[in-house]
Amino acid sequence: MEMVQVVGLGLIATFLILVIKEQKPVFAFLLATFTGVVIFLSLVDKIADVLGILTQLAEKARVNSMFLETVLKIIGIAYIAEFGAQVTRDAGQGSIASKIELAGKILIMVMAIPIITMMIETVVQILPS
Amino acid sequence: MIELLSGWLKQIVILVLIAAFMDLLLPNNSMERYIKLVMGLLIILAILSPVFQWIRQDLDLNQLAFDTAQMKEEGLPSLSGIQQESKRLTQTQDRLVREEAQRRLEQMITKEVEERFRVKVDQTQVQTEEREKRVGIAQVSLAVRPAEKKENGEFPDIQAVEEVKPVIIEGGGDLERGGRPRKGPSSTQSVWGEKITRFLAKTLGLQSEQVDVEVLQGNQGG
């Protein structure tokens, strides 16, 4: 989907939500969520292109596949957590949104744990005991 | 060296590029700091990767050394086993060689006898024996039949099979039959037998007792 289409979809959804919000707030929320999902899905192709190029580049440069995997996982976690948090925040549930963000942060830190372990082990090995 | 260096640099450059790209891609919220931390760790890891490899290689070398030492220790007690195995293999090989030699000799004798005398060789048996690590011929047994006077190839063959069955003699009976009655009943047969025996003994360098020629009465059928 091109930029204009995305913007158009967003504007239409916004107007509809403004109209419907007075009568049925639940439907307004559903509409907002649905619009967000549609825009996100329309961007999946482009994201796949970008990721494919990055992967190719990394393979060409013989980057350790562990690095790339970690980076991609971090991107995914960040995006999904962000999406969920925004949707819930739109629905007025700020606390749940912050929990989702917390989960995202913790998962990202878990990704970092093997790297930190490896570095600390190396340092311990290098230093004479 | 240059290749190693360039590979290392390439890796770092690509990783930094990806990190910058990701910074743009990421949603701007409180997660940014965490992501930056992890990316920084990854880049440090990439920078330090030669050190890691070096240490790992060191460890690997040590392990390898231990492994070889263990292998040697394991290898020692089985020396007798290896010797036994080699003995067994040698015996098998000798046996195979002797079998092959017997087969070749049988073929050769059959061909020679059939070429020189007008007979058909039904059965050839060569027994070899081992004397002081040299293999010699112990016994040659031959069952021949006067050749049919060049009739059609197929008929005599079929009849020959029917004929030979009851007449094949093996083992100890050979000597008595081949030895004594030779001079008795039919003179032509005994002459054939003696001729072939002499020829074979001369060709193969054997005593005439070692050659045993049985002349079958092939003419009755044909």
Side-chain angles (χ1 to χ4, degrees):
Chain A
M1 223 183 273
E2 296 306 317
M3 197 60 220
V4 181
Q5 287 166 311
V6 172
V7 172
L9 185 70
L11 283 178
I12 292 168
T14 312
F15 283 130
L16 286 179
I17 287 167
L18 280 180
V19 169
I20 217 173
K21 207 169 192 178
E22 304 302 318
Q23 280 81 29
K24 298 277 183 188
V26 180
F27 283 114
F29 164 68
L30 275 180
L31 195 56
T33 311
F34 181 74
T35 313
V37 170
V38 167
I39 292 175
F40 193 72
L41 285 182
S42 71
L43 289 176
V44 160
D45 279 351
K46 313 286 175 191
I47 291 176
D49 282 351
V50 172
L51 292 188
I53 288 170
L54 282 183
T55 316
Q56 219 175 332
L57 210 65
E59 273 174 10
K60 230 182 247 174
R62 288 204 214 101
V63 175
N64 195 339
S65 61
M66 190 199 81
F67 294 151
L68 202 73
E69 263 178 39
T70 314
V71 170
L72 296 185
K73 273 182 191 168
I74 288 170
I75 295 181
I77 289 171
Y79 263 101
I80 291 168
E82 175 78 12
F83 184 75
Q86 275 176 0
V87 167
T88 38
R89 194 169 283 135
D90 279 351
Q93 302 294 328
S95 58
I96 291 180
S98 61
K99 296 296 180 298
I100 290 175
E101 280 181 354
L102 176 72
K105 286 172 193 171
I106 288 174
L107 285 179
I108 289 174
M109 290 316 288
V110 166
M111 302 256 98
I113 282 176
I115 304 169
I116 295 172
T117 324
M118 203 168 160
M119 289 177 69
I120 290 174
E121 273 179 6
T122 310
V123 169
V124 169
Q125 275 179 4
I126 289 172
L127 292 178
S129 55
Chain B
M1 189 64 199
I2 298 283
E3 271 181 30
L4 256 168
L5 206 67
S6 77
W8 178 59
L9 279 177
K10 236 191 272 175
Q11 197 168 345
I12 292 168
V13 167
I14 293 285
L15 208 62
V16 171
L17 271 180
I18 290 174
F21 210 78
M22 247 184 68
D23 232 22
L24 292 177
L25 269 177
L26 281 172
N28 49 349
N29 62 353
S30 55
M31 244 177 252
E32 218 177 330
R33 281 183 300 152
Y34 297 81
I35 292 165
K36 275 183 178 169
L37 169 71
V38 175
M39 282 308 295
L41 282 178
L42 276 180
I43 292 171
I44 291 175
L45 202 64
I47 292 171
L48 286 182
S49 64
V51 181
F52 287 121
Q53 275 179 5
W54 180 49
I55 288 168
R56 288 273 165 79
Q57 272 176 1
D58 246 20
L59 285 178
D60 282 349
L61 280 181
N62 282 339
Q63 279 175 355
L64 274 180
F66 275 122
D67 277 349
T68 46
Q70 281 169 359
M71 285 282 283
K72 270 178 194 166
E73 280 170 9
E74 283 170 6
L76 275 176
S78 66
L79 194 62
S80 59
I82 292 172
Q83 280 173 348
Q84 279 177 1
E85 182 76 6
S86 79
K87 207 177 276 178
R88 195 177 61 74
L89 285 177
T90 316
Q91 280 173 359
T92 314
Q93 202 178 5
D94 282 352
R95 190 171 53 75
L96 286 176
V97 167
R98 274 170 68 174
E99 277 175 12
E100 178 68 14
Q102 285 179 13
R103 203 175 57 76
R104 292 260 178 97
L105 269 173
E106 281 166 11
Q107 279 179 0
M108 196 189 75
I109 289 170
T110 308
K111 206 178 151 198
E112 283 284 314
V113 169
E114 277 182 351
E115 268 180 13
R116 282 204 180 230
F117 306 96
R118 275 184 302 160
V119 293
K120 193 167 186 310
V121 177
D122 275 341
Q123 197 188 17
T124 321
Q125 204 169 17
V126 177
Q127 283 173 351
T128 53
E129 62 174 5
E130 200 175 337
R131 285 186 235 102
E132 295 163 8
K133 295 193 176 181
R134 289 191 59 177
V135 177
I137 299 170
Q139 182 83 28
V140 178
S141 328
L142 224 65
V144 299
R145 201 149 47 82
E148 289 82 10
K149 285 149 195 171
K150 305 219 169 173
E151 294 169 14
N152 291 335
E154 295 175 3
F155 281 91
D157 272 351
I158 296 165
Q159 284 158 357
V161 172
E162 288 169 352
E163 213 175 22
V164 165
K165 266 184 196 167
V167 186
I168 285 179
I169 298 157
E170 290 177 348
D174 265 351
L175 275 177
E176 291 174 11
R177 277 219 160 179
R180 282 171 201 163
R182 212 184 270 162
K183 289 157 193 168
S186 72
S187 58
T188 50
Q189 284 180 15
S190 68
V191 168
W192 276 111
E194 272 174 23
K195 268 187 182 174
I196 295 171
T197 307
R198 224 175 295 145
F199 165 70
L200 282 180
K202 198 177 164 190
T203 324
L204 299 172
L206 297 172
Q207 306 289 330
S208 57
E209 291 92 39
Q210 285 175 299
V211 182
D212 182 22
V213 177
E214 176 100 4
V215 182
L216 305 171
Q217 299 186 340
N219 281 335
Q220 287 175 354

